[in-house]
Amino acid sequence: MSSADETLDRIKAQVEEETPNDIEIESVAFEGPELVIYTPDAQTVANRDGIVRNLAQTLRKRINVRPTQEALVPPNEARARITQTIPEDAGVQNLDFDRQTGEVFIEAEKPGRVIGRHGATLDEISASVGWTPEVVRTPPMESSTVSNVRNYLKQEREERRDILQRVGRQINRPTTADEDWVRLTTLGCCREVGRASFILSTPESRILIDCGDKPGAEGEVPYLQAPEALAAGPNSLDAVVLTHAHLDHSALIPILFKYGYDGPIYTTAPTRDLMGLLQLDYLDVASKEGRTPPYESQQVRDALKHTIPLEFGNVTDIAPDIKLTMHNAGHILGSAVCHFHIGEGRYNVAFSGDIHYKDTRLLDGAVNDFPRVETLVLESTYGGKNDYQTDQSDSERVLRDVINEAYEKDGKILIPAFAVGRSQELMLVLEEAMRKGDIPTMPVYLDGMIREATAIHTAYPEYLREDLRQRILYEDENPFLAEQFEQVDGGDEMRQDIADDEPAIILTTSGMVTGGPVMSWLRLLGSDPDNTMAFVGYQAEGTLGRQIQRGQDEITLGDTSGPRAERVSLKMGVETVDGFSGHADRQGLESFVETMHPRPEKILCVHGDESSTNQLSSALYQKFNMRTHNPKNLETFRLS
Ligand SMILES: [Zn+2]
């Protein structure tokens, strides 16, 4: 008998002891971070006051109660009963039975109507059919990513269960180490922006946090071969934790599966979907540019299959001695500040990932309230001493002026933007300005992945700001579905028609003009002085966006050195509107630390160029009298 089986036997005895005698416990199992209890009396356990809560407290585990096979009404019969129970206006689209877990997934347009008051309808369903109902919202905008991910995970259900059970055994293995230390190693994003990656290790476990690429610097990848990282083999890692989907944090995660890693990835559900979208696009761009991608689409699917989605605020065991809690980071949809609790109160470290301190139209500001935290690893993108951004309301006014001027000239407004985050923020600004009459209502064309990324946002309204969530969910005024937003889906022919037509706004990728449909738009619109290009995001050194911003007035498109190279002389107006960044500015970073509860003892300033991390590090030291560092890559800190 393995030690994991012994542990389970012991836990089963404990569960039996803690539950009333009339409840039969058939078996218990680990699935990922959860302890699953199988019982013919699942309904009673779920409904009787306090049973699950008590078990969770006594066992210090997340508990999931599931019915045994005999307790399940056959699917055909169950389908009929469920359909009768749920009110018609819930808009049920699909019922899907998972025999292994005893769950029935109910996809509906209005989950609230399926759930009922205080869960009354759900209770009625499980009492009647024995299956545990799980409600899934039909995205208000069709998203191929969301449906592809859902279908794929459904298809891989059996293998996923094996993965979860293996992960569960790993997390609950008996601990062997008798020493006590915590170390943190930097594998990238120190004194640079890009290739975010860290290793958090104890004598017992090893966690990889983020694994990104460095935009514009092919081949500069995280130091995964370092002795602290994968040198001991890919499965010396207990877990991968992903703060958010941007490629400078997520691009190289699939390569771990190519190397043979088969452990879990912990992140939020929206980050999982956005990560899939962006990684597949990353492969697409690489092959279009004639580069050999570092992994294949199969490894992107492997990453999805191994992802265990977490909700904000849920404390989760990810290793025998490490608990992870994710909190809203305010940066993009699903982005998280990741808090690690190590040992029984031994040490606490929080990784900010990328943060936005203030509320934006799309998201609440970053959470900085924790039970305990000794070390903070803090991003420093705008940590330089002059990195102050304009207030968003001022930025919006400037943008409205730019649009009004271009409209009066009968021109087009071309806005390059990142598909995820900035585009949705701008859509909200434009929709409101048009609704209030601050700018004329005109078509807003969405080109590239923007529409798809927006659809993913509407599939996860609970991650958006309260007022926006209400608009998407309950009042038929989803701003993203406003009439003026139109998808460009007819290629260059459609673009030509748009260019020949009335004034319009064009939101298009890529955000730094490094490729994608914005290049076609430059060809079509660039030589007409009545048109305007408006930059709303950071333009990195070395990108075409930065060159245009600096006044370069001739650009080469297409095969830049070959015979098909095409020169366009730029006569369109060029404007820069600050203040729409997804990152906290210098003031925001200081405020995040100043109002943080509790104040950490130590801060590592990372994810910024050398002067930014340096200046932020010394400012925080002077202002708050705490130990601060701006580490290089490949440094290791002993935290405890
Ligand atoms: Zn980011």
Side-chain angles (χ1 to χ4, degrees), residues 244 246 249 331 354:
H244 68 285
H246 277 152
H249 296 254
H331 169 62
D354 291 354

Side-chain angles (χ1 to χ4, degrees), residues 243-244 246 248-249 329 331 335 352-356 379 381 583 607:
T243 58
H244 68 285
H246 277 152
D248 58 331
H249 296 254
H331 169 62
S335 63
S352 73
D354 291 354
I355 48 170
H356 196 278
E379 72 124 318
T381 314
H583 292 272
H607 197 287

